Amino acid sequence: MTTDRTPRDKGSDVHRIFEKIAGYYDRMNFVMTLGRHARWCREVAARVAPPTAGQVLDIATGTGVIALATAQRYPAVTVTGVDFSEEMLARARTKPGAEAIRWQQADAARLPFDDESFDGITEGYLLRNVEDLPGVLGEQHRILKPGGRVVILETCPPSGPVKPVVEWGVRTIVPLLGQVVARDRSSYAYLESSTLAFESPEQVADVLRGLGFRDIGWRKRFFGTNVILWATKSS
Ligand SMILES: C[S@@+](CC[C@H](N)C(=O)[O-])C[C@H]1O[C@@H](n2cnc3c(N)ncnc32)[C@H](O)[C@@H]1O
């Protein structure tokens, strides 16, 4: 069930960035979301709603915030957290409650799990980092049981009348915080550009619908800069 495939192309750049920022990822996230990230992760855990003693997979688990929130909310559920960054997983493994979770290195593009093996899938800030969005969501559809739910936390390109102000904020504040809090402007310049360039929730929903998901919905958070999106695999 393990994989150690070497990421390539966009994947290898993203991999390098997350290996580098692992040590200050939680601190930066706290500052950038004004402490809201943990609350969103708890909402993701609440929305995945697995059956008692079910199986939930948290993809791109990073330092494990969603996986830990899921394990805490559903003590009888088996939670697995995967990420392709060993540095991020190393941080996750040291957190209180981490012993309840199965941590594993894996690439979201080639998940080392059997078809229909999970009752629920969660993920935070994975999709804007991947090269092949339909391929990655297709993998999730493959390993999800019919009736199982995927819940996605993602950044969201700004839209509507606030778009210019929010765009300015993301362009200016995110790299600045990267510089001040983490002394790493370039990694957070990547976050800024990948946020502004990523698909809208409507576009992600279209991909999910095309793959055979139903009951798709989403709620934007934090001036429309973040979104929680959910969908159910048709039975
Ligand atoms: C911004 S962090 C999010 C971590 C966590 N989900 C959270 O909400 O705090 C993105 C994570 O995605 C992981 N990642 C990006 N592309 C991946 C891929 N193709 N396969 C597995 N993990 C990936 C990175 O290593 C990183 O830990």
Side-chain angles (χ1 to χ4, degrees), residues 1 5 11 15 25 40 72 111 142-143 152 172 185 190:
M1 294 255 287
R5 291 168 211 264
H15 182 260
Y25 174 78
W40 300 334
Q72 192 172 30
L111 291 168
R142 178 183 70 74
I143 63 167
I152 298 165
T172 317
R185 193 179 185 95
Y190 164 75

Side-chain angles (χ1 to χ4, degrees), residues 14 18 25 29 37 41 60-62 66 83-85 88 106-108 124-126 128-130:
V14 171
F18 284 106
Y25 174 78
N29 240 3
H37 175 248
C41 291
T61 195
I66 295 176
D83 200 288
F84 69 7
S85 163
M88 295 293 267
D107 190 328
Y125 308 124
L126 165 69
R128 76 190 138 84
N129 291 308
V130 304

Side-chain angles (χ1 to χ4, degrees), residues 25-170:
Y25 174 78
D26 282 339
R27 195 169 4 122
M28 267 300 285
N29 240 3
F30 183 85
V31 173
M32 281 189 314
T33 67
L34 302 180
R36 288 169 169 82
H37 175 248
R39 194 188 311 161
W40 300 334
C41 291
R42 288 195 295 273
E43 182 179 343
V44 169
R47 287 189 181 278
V48 77
T52 312
Q55 298 268 347
V56 172
L57 177 66
D58 183 40
I59 308 175
T61 195
T63 59
V65 185
I66 295 176
L68 289 160
T70 306
Q72 192 172 30
R73 189 179 181 101
Y74 312 106
V77 163
T78 303
V79 180
T80 304
V82 297
D83 200 288
F84 69 7
S85 163
E86 264 303 343
E87 288 291 330
M88 295 293 267
L89 286 171
R91 261 72 190 182
R93 286 189 178 102
T94 64
K95 291 193 169 172
E99 62 289 345
I101 294 167
R102 299 175 180 182
W103 306 104
Q104 189 173 333
Q105 189 184 29
D107 190 328
R110 294 172 292 271
L111 291 168
F113 302 109
D114 292 337
D115 295 356
E116 301 187 359
S117 44
F118 289 94
D119 300 283
I121 293 177
T122 55
E123 64 203 59
Y125 308 124
L126 165 69
L127 298 180
R128 76 190 138 84
N129 291 308
V130 304
E131 215 147 11
D132 177 9
L133 179 66
V136 163
L137 289 174
E139 265 296 86
Q140 297 178 23
H141 186 267
R142 178 183 70 74
I143 63 167
L144 202 53
K145 294 179 189 172
R149 187 176 292 180
V150 59
V151 186
I152 298 165
L153 169 64
E154 199 38 271
T155 50
C156 190
S159 60
V162 294
K163 182 176 168 178
V165 179
V166 176
E167 262 183 8
W168 175 84
V170 172

